[in-house]
Amino acid sequence: MSVIEVQGLTPLEGEIKIQGSKNAVLPMMAAAILHKGTTVIENVPRIQDVFCMLGILDSIGCKCRLEGNRLKIDASVVTETEIPKEFVKSMRSSIIVSGPLLGRMKRAVTSFPGGCSIGERPIDLHLTALDALGARVEEDGEELLVTANELTGADIYFPFPSVGATENALMAAVLADGVTVIHGAAREPEIEELCLFLIGMGARIHGVGSSTLVIEGVLSLHDSIFTVTGDRIVAGTYLCAVMAAEGCVTLTGIRPSHMEAVLRCAEEMGAAIRRYDDLISVTMTGRPADYSVVTGPYPQFPTDLQSPMMAVMAAAEGTGRMEETVFEGRFGTVKELQKLGADIIIEDNRAEIRGLYPLTGAVVRARDLRGGAALVVAGLASRGVTQITDCSHIERGYEDICRDLKSLGAVIRGME
């Protein structure tokens, strides 16, 4: 699917079961390398990033089988320690394979991820963490060779709660000799999920959900089965869709407690939200009110939902403000929103959004994963047809955004 067409101004009604979490399942797939046996993961989303990670696992010798949303990984034999460049270039998060490869094989070869449309995303924190555990890092052009005779528990200090670096350090420490303490660890729900996944394999991890993780190294892991929770970013995107289009929608298969910053924001803007154990209902009548949002590490407002929420603000009443503190390139979608008539002024890492409803359909381009989803949200609040090109970005994180929104009554279709 390379193009999505949206006919706006149709309220949404119905229920969606949210797909499994992309940001949780990718490190779990990488962590399966640590075990010389079989790992089964349930509720795996069928998205491009998952298929890319499957390619990496296959390339190093793992036997993977994805049937529906059930993934079986047999990592009994790992024959290679090099992550092919094509996978690194197409998915920056492939760097998280380095930690488990190093933990099991004491060697990992990868390359610098290269540019990213939403920011630089340096990997220095990853390398610093692996170095603290006893790894040696050698650079040869674009190639990185990480080796260790033995990994030894250590104190690791992060000046910023990097999700990827926390995951890499955590996975490398599981089979290290001794105790590792990660100070300043990221607290995102996906880190908690990874910890629970590893504990289910036999790892010893304390402080789950906190900024201090204590990992007692073990000699080996065992077979396990784990079910991934629903994707809070996908749920947040569909929440934004309801706010943009109006209507009443139930989102199931999620943990509302993991979305509290987003839900509070939506309520302040006028959405009526009811929380249950594993679902939320969202009702939006009339236009959203203006609001100010500042992104930040969990439990603050997630940067991954900055673009979709900005699309809502563009079709709200009054003047809203957005401050981006995580990725300097997240405002790249603003130029596309402006083609729809959005009144947005950017100054450094801040945006002032003067609400205008309805927006006007136009041809726009998805510049990145979440920015593409934001344009779909904006299209729902636009008069006429919005045509979004380069939609392969969206397929990296959403199983089928057209299917889901169409089931709620949206007039939307995907085309090649």
Side-chain angles (χ1 to χ4, degrees):
M1 181 177 64
S2 59
V3 177
I4 291 176
E5 280 192 355
V6 184
Q7 175 77 50
L9 310 187
T10 300
L12 304 181
E13 304 284 341
E15 178 177 310
I16 295 179
K17 183 182 185 299
I18 300 299
Q19 67 190 57
S21 170
K22 166 180 113 69
N23 291 336
V25 77
L26 293 178
M28 291 178 191
M29 293 171 69
I33 296 169
L34 292 166
H35 171 48
K36 298 177 181 179
T38 301
T39 303
V40 176
I41 309 175
E42 305 273 10
N43 199 30
V44 174
R46 299 181 67 88
I47 56 176
Q48 285 303 316
D49 276 11
V50 164
F51 297 134
C52 183
M53 185 63 80
L54 285 173
I56 293 173
L57 295 179
D58 287 337
S59 74
I60 64 174
C62 298
K63 296 177 182 178
C64 305
R65 188 171 67 204
L66 178 61
E67 296 180 343
N69 298 106
R70 187 176 194 264
L71 173 61
K72 182 178 181 181
I73 302 171
D74 181 352
S76 301
V77 178
V78 173
T79 57
E80 300 291 336
T81 56
E82 181 171 354
I83 306 168
K85 277 186 180 179
E86 61 267 26
F87 294 120
V88 179
K89 298 301 181 184
S90 61
M91 187 178 71
R92 288 187 56 96
S93 60
S94 61
I95 189 68
I96 61 174
V97 177
S98 302
L101 265 181
L102 185 66
R104 173 166 172 177
M105 306 294 287
K106 304 301 182 285
R107 185 177 189 272
V109 182
T110 184
S111 52
F112 287 100
C116 176
S117 62
I118 63 169
E120 291 301 318
R121 294 189 177 190
I123 62 170
D124 56 325
L125 294 180
H126 296 251
L127 302 181
T128 299
L130 297 179
D131 176 76
L133 293 169
R136 296 180 299 277
V137 180
E138 301 175 34
E139 298 181 23
D140 183 10
E142 289 189 0
E143 194 172 84
L144 281 171
L145 171 63
V146 187
T147 58
N149 293 326
E150 184 179 7
L151 294 180
T152 305
D155 282 286
I156 298 172
Y157 295 88
F158 287 131
F160 179 83
S162 164
V163 173
T166 299
E167 291 167 343
N168 246 338
L170 176 63
M171 290 186 284
V174 165
L175 297 181
D177 182 27
V179 177
T180 298
V181 182
I182 303 175
H183 305 269
R187 296 171 53 201
E188 270 71 6
E190 294 76 23
I191 300 290
E192 180 179 341
E193 286 263 299
L194 177 60
C195 288
L196 296 175
F197 172 77
L198 288 166
I199 290 170
M201 297 171 72
R204 296 175 182 170
I205 304 171
H206 310 280
V208 176
S210 75
S211 59
T212 303
L213 295 175
V214 180
I215 306 101
E216 299 178 41
V218 297
L219 294 176
S220 63
L221 301 173
H222 55 68
D223 290 0
S224 64
I225 300 177
F226 191 89
T227 301
V228 182
T229 193
D231 194 311
R232 65 191 176 103
I233 305 302
V234 172
T237 301
Y238 294 156
L239 166 64
C240 288
V242 180
M243 295 176 68
E246 302 181 29
C248 181
V249 170
T250 299
L251 306 174
T252 69
I254 57 173
R255 296 182 185 175
S257 61
H258 289 169
M259 299 178 61
E260 202 50 47
V262 178
L263 299 183
R264 286 198 305 269
C265 170
E267 288 173 324
E268 290 289 337
M269 294 177 72
I273 297 176
R274 298 180 68 180
R275 299 163 174 79
Y276 301 89
D277 288 343
D278 61 351
L279 63 86
I280 59 172
S281 68
V282 185
T283 302
M284 190 76 209
T285 304
R287 302 316 303 158
D290 56 2
Y291 193 67
S292 292
V293 175
V294 180
T295 66
Y298 187 83
Q300 299 177 59
F301 192 95
T303 182
D304 278 351
L305 287 175
Q306 182 252 90
S307 295
M309 189 56 75
M310 184 180 288
V312 174
M313 291 178 168
E317 291 183 343
T319 299
R321 291 170 181 80
M322 180 73 73
E323 182 176 349
E324 173 60 51
T325 71
V326 181
F327 292 126
E328 68 277 3
R330 279 284 191 199
F331 287 155
T333 300
V334 168
K335 291 182 179 178
E336 304 304 315
L337 290 172
Q338 289 170 336
K339 294 176 184 177
L340 300 174
D343 186 354
I344 304 174
I345 298 173
I346 302 294
E347 184 175 346
D348 298 325
N349 66 330
R350 296 178 179 84
E352 183 174 274
I353 308 105
R354 299 184 180 93
L356 174 66
Y357 180 80
L359 299 171
T360 303
V363 178
V364 292
R365 180 170 69 90
R367 294 169 175 261
D368 58 72
L369 166 57
R370 306 306 175 185
L375 295 173
V376 174
V377 170
L380 295 171
S382 298
R383 179 186 290 112
V385 175
T386 298
Q387 188 177 86
I388 305 155
T389 64
D390 285 356
C391 290
S392 57
H393 290 294
I394 299 175
E395 294 175 332
R396 286 186 48 228
Y398 298 81
E399 277 193 338
D400 193 335
I401 197 169
C402 293
R403 174 202 66 196
D404 290 344
L405 292 175
K406 192 172 183 178
S407 74
L408 301 178
V411 183
I412 184 172
R413 64 171 180 160
M415 303 177 293
E416 295 299 332

